[in-house]
Each structure stands twice: as structure tokens, then as C-alpha cells.
Amino acid sequence: AAFLLSGGILVAIDQVLWYVDMLGLLFLGKMPVKVCGYLFWPSTPLVKKVTGMHHLVFVPLVLGVCAISDAGIPLLRGWLISVA
């Protein structure tokens, strides 16, 4: 379980950067990290913009699924594996 969680943590880093960019755009008018800047390019197709929104629901969905799990979340081991 910790090995799978480590992969999730690595993916979650990218997801969190989306939140940083979106909140920065909302409150500061600019994206500090620019990880999702491609969504605002005129050449980006609408379908890519719509499907790219999965980044905004990933973290809450994973946390919700983990919260209802009876097995618990081996966060420390997951972080250690993802750092290694």
C-alpha cells in the first residue's frame, strides 16, 4: 500500500501546483508556477481545456476515497518511498 501511495504522492505534487496556479490566477491575476498555462493559449482546443479540469478534482477525490478506507493511509512510508 505504501508503494502505491508513493506514486500517488508524486502525482499529487503536480495536482497541488494546479491549485497554486488557479488560486494565483483568481486572487493575483497571474499564475505563479504556470503549470496549467497551456489551458489559456488560444491554440489549445476546447476538448483539452475541458479534460484538463480533472486536475482540480483529483486531490479531493483521492483524499475522500482514502478517508473512507478502513485500511488507513500509510502516509509516512509513502512519502519516504516517493522521495527515494
Side-chain angles (χ1 to χ4, degrees), residues 16-58:
V16 170
L17 293 177
W18 271 71
Y19 286 104
V20 170
D21 270 353
M22 289 298 171
L23 290 173
L25 186 62
L26 184 65
F27 292 110
L28 306 173
K30 61 181 182 174
M31 291 179 280
V33 184
K34 296 181 182 63
V35 74
C36 61
Y38 71 92
L39 289 176
F40 299 95
W41 297 343
S43 60
T44 304
L46 179 62
V47 68
K48 190 164 196 150
K49 292 178 183 184
V50 171
T51 59
M53 291 299 117
H54 78 276
H55 291 279
L56 298 176
V57 297
F58 174 80

